Amino acid sequence: MAYAHSTNSAGKRHDLVDHLTAVASLAAQFAHDLGAQELGGFVGIWHDVGKFHPAFQEYLRSCEANPLARGHGPDHKGAGALLASKHFAGLSALLIQGHHGGLRAPADLKTWLAEKGKDTASGHALELAAAAMPDLEPSGQLSFPDHVLRDPRSAELFLRLVFSALVDADYLDTEQHFRAELASERGTSTSMAELWGRLEGDQRQFSGSGNDPVSHTRRDVYEACIAAADEPPGLFRLTVPTGGGKTRSGMAFALRHALRHGHQRVIVAVPFITITEQTAEVYRGIFAADNVLEHHSAAERSDPQSEDFHRQQVWARLAAENWDAPIIVTTTVQLFESLFASSTSQCRKLHRLARSVIILDEAQTLPSHLLRPILDALRELCAHYGTTVVISTATQPAFEAIPEFAAVPAREIVQEPGRFFQALKRVNYEWRTDPALVWPEVADMMRGASQALAVVNTKKDAMALLDALSDPEALHLSTLLCGAHRRQVISDVKQRLQSGELCRLVSTQVVEAGVDIDFPLVLRAMGPLDAIIQSAGRCNREGLLPEKGRVIVFRPMDGGMPAGAYRAGVGVTGALLGAGGVDPDDPDVSRKYFRRLFEIVDTDRERIQDLRVALDYPEVSRRFRMINDDTETVAITGYGSDDERLLVRRLLDRLRQGAPEARFIYRRLQPYLVSLRSREAEKYRRDGFITEVATGMGEWQGAYDPVRGLVARDLDPDDLVV
């Protein structure tokens, strides 16, 4: 008898035929919605047939006798890859080759298969496998969907999704052998019908009977989402002004749509962790923690004060591995970097995207230089895998101007959305773009109001305006502050605004999405149109002022500007709006803006689409980065209460000592981290301002100001901090 794995805690070995059969069954089940049930079943059988070889069986016995001898063992992938190489032009072998180390490129596969073909061990393993499993091979060629055979990029995504099905099946059956107690913690028994019922009940209490424009609009948007949910799966737009209730209404559409069409989960992807946390908190309040997975780098997983803390921690950790949850709230970075990844851990969840409803919140923030591959993948998911995608934002990008999306019909969930923008129009725009203003003039405008927000384009500009303002009570918000500090500033701002206190806030773009604050006056440095509109969304947000709020768009004389698409967006905005004769809140204006922007920016700067045609999975993964990864993080020990500072120091000490729970420690440290550009971090390390803690992680020994955050002498903060 051959075994797949060594003895578990009960002293039982894992029978190899049982393992292959179970993985084949699970992989076929997972691949059903991919149109690849047959392929999923066979790669599940083939993935470990190399373990039939006596050398691998001897390795397992040696591990049982001496656990310290455990390692990678003899190759067990070559035999199955040789079987798979007979199908789909040999490319199916990529799935077997990569099921532990990750997907490789065809050139690597070809060289590797040539070596395995000469290896007698693989042939011997196949002979033993055939004797143990008579149905080892299909009677004929495996079938593949037509779109996969026609389009190499369709094939690239298809193989990635089937790979996900195989990897998840393998992990789950192996876990069943070694940690059977975890199986009962996975998944949830809550149906989509139950979730929909909970939302309906909560909505009856939430909507109330207010007759103000905001209440009317929110009810109308909610009802429009319910009505549109019966539409067939595919691509939708949810165009709703700020404050129109799209968090709830979007979920109403998703659940009702899933219930109507048999979708299995709802995935809400948002651009920033702050929005992720807020959104997940809203949904947990409606659906309960056991049904809402919050998946991002800083997620706490569950409430430490909860009686079910440990169980929730276990469920959330397991669900994050393969997104086996009915509602997932994640970041667009997590979603799309996984979708273009090559590693097993990142790809494992991808098969769950099939027959899901994906809500892309604040979709205008998707990085323009990656739009072509992103939109192409979304198009494929809608066209071939039963996925519904909702592009949800107040500023709808003209994605149809990009070739990959040109032929995709997107349906409006809310008909004639412009009427809601007029109903919720809560601000008047004023234009001070000619002549340009010096910072003392901007500071004077802020001092003319007891409560004012100024949003500028760079951190250096924020420092210059703080200097000009010379207000000891002024607050500041940017990535110069660690996350915990930013949250405290937002809390202080809300408190001051609510109590009518003096409140002047200088911020970079970090305030523009997902920060629920409400100023009577907002000043916005000339920027891209969507950024101006987002800043305006922080003005008279709840419509409670007796008159409309004021948004002053100004051009700073000495202002800086981020390069690339941001700078291009400023140029398009200036040409489109001129001296202020166009209403930025008109959805048609947003559409024109993005159409012009996409004509002048490179929407596939990294040439991801060409790499996908070549099936170069490792290079696609390397180049597809939504956030600049040329960074290092430093932990701030100079912020917070004495207890917080002590906690950070203790966590850093544990990292220095090589604590085995490093991932947990990094998560605990997340609120106290600041990201620096690597080249600048190296300078400060040489000067002794950063001491090494672990790879890519340091402790900041320099100054940390209670208002300005991380202070670095003689350096532009925009060069230092990401």
Side-chain angles (χ1 to χ4, degrees), residues 191-202 222 226 251-257 259 287:
S191 67
M192 285 291 169
E194 290 177 88
L195 294 174
W196 167 243
R198 293 185 190 186
L199 180 59
E200 275 194 307
D202 191 80
Y222 187 87
I226 301 304
M251 180 57 70
F253 168 85
L255 288 178
R256 181 82 173 213
H257 188 75
L259 195 57
F287 304 112

Side-chain angles (χ1 to χ4, degrees), residues 17 47 97 222 355 439 459 461 470 476 541 580 590 602:
V17 172
H47 82 288
Q97 180 196 30
Y222 187 87
R355 297 208 63 77
W439 292 119
K459 291 178 280 293
D461 288 357
S470 189
H476 156 244
R541 186 177 180 86
S590 291
D602 189 344

Side-chain angles (χ1 to χ4, degrees), residues 618-633:
E619 189 63 13
V620 167
S621 179
R622 188 183 74 81
R623 292 199 194 184
F624 192 96
R625 286 289 178 268
M626 295 181 69
I627 297 176
N628 180 12
D629 59 358
D630 184 24
T631 62
E632 297 182 27
T633 54

Side-chain angles (χ1 to χ4, degrees), residues 522-562:
V522 170
L523 297 96
R524 183 39 163 111
M526 187 64 176
L529 178 67
D530 55 310
I532 292 173
I533 295 171
Q534 287 290 344
S535 289
R538 312 310 122 193
C539 183
N540 195 21
R541 186 177 180 86
E542 296 300 322
L544 300 179
L545 294 178
E547 298 180 355
K548 289 185 172 64
R550 296 176 66 202
V551 176
I552 301 174
V553 181
F554 66 95
R555 189 181 300 275
M557 181 174 293
D558 300 317
M561 186 73 64

Side-chain angles (χ1 to χ4, degrees), residues 342-362:
S342 61
S343 70
T344 54
S345 59
Q346 286 181 288
C347 288
R348 180 179 172 184
K349 56 184 169 289
L350 296 182
H351 67 94
R352 306 281 183 184
L353 300 180
R355 297 208 63 77
S356 292
V357 181
I358 301 174
I359 301 175
L360 294 177
D361 195 20
E362 305 295 356

